[in-house]
């Protein structure tokens, strides 16, 4: 059987892990503040796909 001190310690470890996950989720999905005159803020997920590849040089279409 687990002693009361060990149970409290395990509960504290689990609580700290949950708090850490909540803080990491908030930091990842909260929009970054925009600086005036600066570039667009960073984001976790890129919502645009990659650009289309360029046409090869010397190719003939048609």
């Amino acid at each position: 059987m687990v002693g009361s001190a060990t149970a409290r310690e395990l509960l504290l470890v689990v609580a700290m892990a949950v708090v850490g996950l909540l803080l990491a989720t908030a930091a990842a999905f909260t929009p970054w503040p925009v600086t005036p005159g600066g570039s667009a803020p960073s984001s976790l997920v890129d919502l645009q796909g990659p650009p289309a590849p360029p046409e090869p040089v010397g190719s003939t279409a048609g």
Side-chain angles (χ1 to χ4, degrees):
M1 177 133 196
V2 178
S4 65
T6 305
R8 281 184 288 166
E9 187 174 351
L10 287 175
L11 182 63
L12 178 66
V13 169
V14 170
M16 292 298 287
V18 169
V19 169
L21 286 174
L22 288 174
L23 287 173
T25 302
F29 291 106
T30 301
W32 293 79
V34 178
T35 57
S39 61
S42 301
S43 63
L44 183 65
V45 178
D46 187 15
L47 298 178
Q48 298 175 353
E55 291 290 326
V57 177
S59 67
T60 56

PDB file of all heavy atoms in Angstrom, residues 46-61:
ATOM      1  N   ASP A  46       1.305  26.796 -40.200  1.00  0.00           N
ATOM      2  CA  ASP A  46       1.263  27.587 -41.422  1.00  0.00           C
ATOM      3  C   ASP A  46      -0.027  27.233 -42.156  1.00  0.00           C
ATOM      4  O   ASP A  46      -0.266  26.081 -42.489  1.00  0.00           O
ATOM      5  CB  ASP A  46       2.477  27.271 -42.291  1.00  0.00           C
ATOM      6  CG  ASP A  46       2.581  28.171 -43.497  1.00  0.00           C
ATOM      7  OD1 ASP A  46       1.896  29.214 -43.528  1.00  0.00           O
ATOM      8  OD2 ASP A  46       3.360  27.848 -44.412  1.00  0.00           O
ATOM      9  N   LEU A  47      -0.879  28.236 -42.362  1.00  0.00           N
ATOM     10  CA  LEU A  47      -2.182  27.979 -42.963  1.00  0.00           C
ATOM     11  C   LEU A  47      -2.159  28.037 -44.480  1.00  0.00           C
ATOM     12  O   LEU A  47      -3.167  27.805 -45.116  1.00  0.00           O
ATOM     13  CB  LEU A  47      -3.206  28.984 -42.422  1.00  0.00           C
ATOM     14  CG  LEU A  47      -3.436  28.910 -40.923  1.00  0.00           C
ATOM     15  CD1 LEU A  47      -4.432  29.975 -40.490  1.00  0.00           C
ATOM     16  CD2 LEU A  47      -3.927  27.539 -40.523  1.00  0.00           C
ATOM     17  N   GLN A  48      -1.017  28.359 -45.089  1.00  0.00           N
ATOM     18  CA  GLN A  48      -0.905  28.395 -46.536  1.00  0.00           C
ATOM     19  C   GLN A  48       0.021  27.278 -46.980  1.00  0.00           C
ATOM     20  O   GLN A  48       0.995  26.967 -46.315  1.00  0.00           O
ATOM     21  CB  GLN A  48      -0.347  29.741 -47.000  1.00  0.00           C
ATOM     22  CG  GLN A  48      -1.244  30.904 -46.619  1.00  0.00           C
ATOM     23  CD  GLN A  48      -0.605  32.239 -46.985  1.00  0.00           C
ATOM     24  OE1 GLN A  48       0.530  32.298 -47.401  1.00  0.00           O
ATOM     25  NE2 GLN A  48      -1.363  33.299 -46.821  1.00  0.00           N
ATOM     26  N   GLY A  49      -0.282  26.717 -48.145  1.00  0.00           N
ATOM     27  CA  GLY A  49       0.555  25.667 -48.684  1.00  0.00           C
ATOM     28  C   GLY A  49       1.813  26.242 -49.301  1.00  0.00           C
ATOM     29  O   GLY A  49       1.971  27.455 -49.436  1.00  0.00           O
ATOM     30  N   PRO A  50       2.734  25.382 -49.696  1.00  0.00           N
ATOM     31  CA  PRO A  50       3.960  25.864 -50.325  1.00  0.00           C
ATOM     32  C   PRO A  50       3.653  26.438 -51.712  1.00  0.00           C
ATOM     33  O   PRO A  50       2.655  26.082 -52.338  1.00  0.00           O
ATOM     34  CB  PRO A  50       4.823  24.605 -50.428  1.00  0.00           C
ATOM     35  CG  PRO A  50       3.851  23.477 -50.422  1.00  0.00           C
ATOM     36  CD  PRO A  50       2.701  23.943 -49.575  1.00  0.00           C
ATOM     37  N   PRO A  51       4.512  27.333 -52.219  1.00  0.00           N
ATOM     38  CA  PRO A  51       4.268  27.896 -53.549  1.00  0.00           C
ATOM     39  C   PRO A  51       4.436  26.825 -54.624  1.00  0.00           C
ATOM     40  O   PRO A  51       5.100  25.811 -54.420  1.00  0.00           O
ATOM     41  CB  PRO A  51       5.327  28.987 -53.675  1.00  0.00           C
ATOM     42  CG  PRO A  51       6.390  28.605 -52.717  1.00  0.00           C
ATOM     43  CD  PRO A  51       5.702  27.871 -51.601  1.00  0.00           C
ATOM     44  N   ALA A  52       3.818  27.068 -55.773  1.00  0.00           N
ATOM     45  CA  ALA A  52       3.921  26.123 -56.888  1.00  0.00           C
ATOM     46  C   ALA A  52       5.364  26.101 -57.403  1.00  0.00           C
ATOM     47  O   ALA A  52       6.026  27.132 -57.430  1.00  0.00           O
ATOM     48  CB  ALA A  52       2.970  26.525 -58.004  1.00  0.00           C
ATOM     49  N   PRO A  53       5.848  24.942 -57.828  1.00  0.00           N
ATOM     50  CA  PRO A  53       7.215  24.882 -58.325  1.00  0.00           C
ATOM     51  C   PRO A  53       7.333  25.640 -59.651  1.00  0.00           C
ATOM     52  O   PRO A  53       6.387  25.670 -60.438  1.00  0.00           O
ATOM     53  CB  PRO A  53       7.471  23.378 -58.518  1.00  0.00           C
ATOM     54  CG  PRO A  53       6.118  22.766 -58.622  1.00  0.00           C
ATOM     55  CD  PRO A  53       5.188  23.636 -57.831  1.00  0.00           C
ATOM     56  N   PRO A  54       8.481  26.245 -59.901  1.00  0.00           N
ATOM     57  CA  PRO A  54       8.654  26.974 -61.156  1.00  0.00           C
ATOM     58  C   PRO A  54       8.725  26.030 -62.345  1.00  0.00           C
ATOM     59  O   PRO A  54       9.055  24.844 -62.214  1.00  0.00           O
ATOM     60  CB  PRO A  54       9.978  27.710 -60.955  1.00  0.00           C
ATOM     61  CG  PRO A  54      10.706  26.909 -59.937  1.00  0.00           C
ATOM     62  CD  PRO A  54       9.659  26.299 -59.055  1.00  0.00           C
ATOM     63  N   GLU A  55       8.391  26.564 -63.501  1.00  0.00           N
ATOM     64  CA  GLU A  55       8.485  25.765 -64.742  1.00  0.00           C
ATOM     65  C   GLU A  55       9.954  25.499 -65.054  1.00  0.00           C
ATOM     66  O   GLU A  55      10.795  26.366 -64.888  1.00  0.00           O
ATOM     67  CB  GLU A  55       7.845  26.527 -65.900  1.00  0.00           C
ATOM     68  CG  GLU A  55       6.333  26.649 -65.795  1.00  0.00           C
ATOM     69  CD  GLU A  55       5.639  25.327 -66.004  1.00  0.00           C
ATOM     70  OE1 GLU A  55       6.109  24.489 -66.810  1.00  0.00           O
ATOM     71  OE2 GLU A  55       4.638  25.091 -65.314  1.00  0.00           O
ATOM     72  N   PRO A  56      10.281  24.295 -65.517  1.00  0.00           N
ATOM     73  CA  PRO A  56      11.667  24.024 -65.886  1.00  0.00           C
ATOM     74  C   PRO A  56      12.087  24.891 -67.079  1.00  0.00           C
ATOM     75  O   PRO A  56      11.296  25.196 -67.957  1.00  0.00           O
ATOM     76  CB  PRO A  56      11.670  22.558 -66.271  1.00  0.00           C
ATOM     77  CG  PRO A  56      10.371  21.997 -65.801  1.00  0.00           C
ATOM     78  CD  PRO A  56       9.443  23.141 -65.605  1.00  0.00           C
ATOM     79  N   VAL A  57      13.345  25.272 -67.077  1.00  0.00           N
ATOM     80  CA  VAL A  57      13.880  26.098 -68.167  1.00  0.00           C
ATOM     81  C   VAL A  57      13.948  25.270 -69.430  1.00  0.00           C
ATOM     82  O   VAL A  57      14.395  24.126 -69.426  1.00  0.00           O
ATOM     83  CB  VAL A  57      15.289  26.628 -67.782  1.00  0.00           C
ATOM     84  CG1 VAL A  57      15.889  27.415 -68.938  1.00  0.00           C
ATOM     85  CG2 VAL A  57      15.205  27.463 -66.536  1.00  0.00           C
ATOM     86  N   GLY A  58      13.474  25.841 -70.541  1.00  0.00           N
ATOM     87  CA  GLY A  58      13.528  25.147 -71.825  1.00  0.00           C
ATOM     88  C   GLY A  58      12.376  24.184 -72.081  1.00  0.00           C
ATOM     89  O   GLY A  58      12.401  23.445 -73.053  1.00  0.00           O
ATOM     90  N   SER A  59      11.391  24.172 -71.227  1.00  0.00           N
ATOM     91  CA  SER A  59      10.262  23.282 -71.462  1.00  0.00           C
ATOM     92  C   SER A  59       9.320  23.904 -72.473  1.00  0.00           C
ATOM     93  O   SER A  59       9.206  25.106 -72.596  1.00  0.00           O
ATOM     94  CB  SER A  59       9.504  23.017 -70.159  1.00  0.00           C
ATOM     95  OG  SER A  59       8.895  24.188 -69.718  1.00  0.00           O
ATOM     96  N   THR A  60       8.675  23.074 -73.214  1.00  0.00           N
ATOM     97  CA  THR A  60       7.706  23.553 -74.203  1.00  0.00           C
ATOM     98  C   THR A  60       6.329  23.121 -73.764  1.00  0.00           C
ATOM     99  O   THR A  60       6.069  21.928 -73.569  1.00  0.00           O
ATOM    100  CB  THR A  60       8.012  22.967 -75.608  1.00  0.00           C
ATOM    101  OG1 THR A  60       8.024  21.546 -75.503  1.00  0.00           O
ATOM    102  CG2 THR A  60       9.368  23.458 -76.083  1.00  0.00           C
ATOM    103  N   ALA A  61       5.488  24.076 -73.594  1.00  0.00           N
ATOM    104  CA  ALA A  61       4.109  23.779 -73.190  1.00  0.00           C
ATOM    105  C   ALA A  61       3.261  23.573 -74.424  1.00  0.00           C
ATOM    106  O   ALA A  61       3.315  24.325 -75.372  1.00  0.00           O
ATOM    107  CB  ALA A  61       3.554  24.915 -72.347  1.00  0.00           C
TER     108      ALA A  61
END
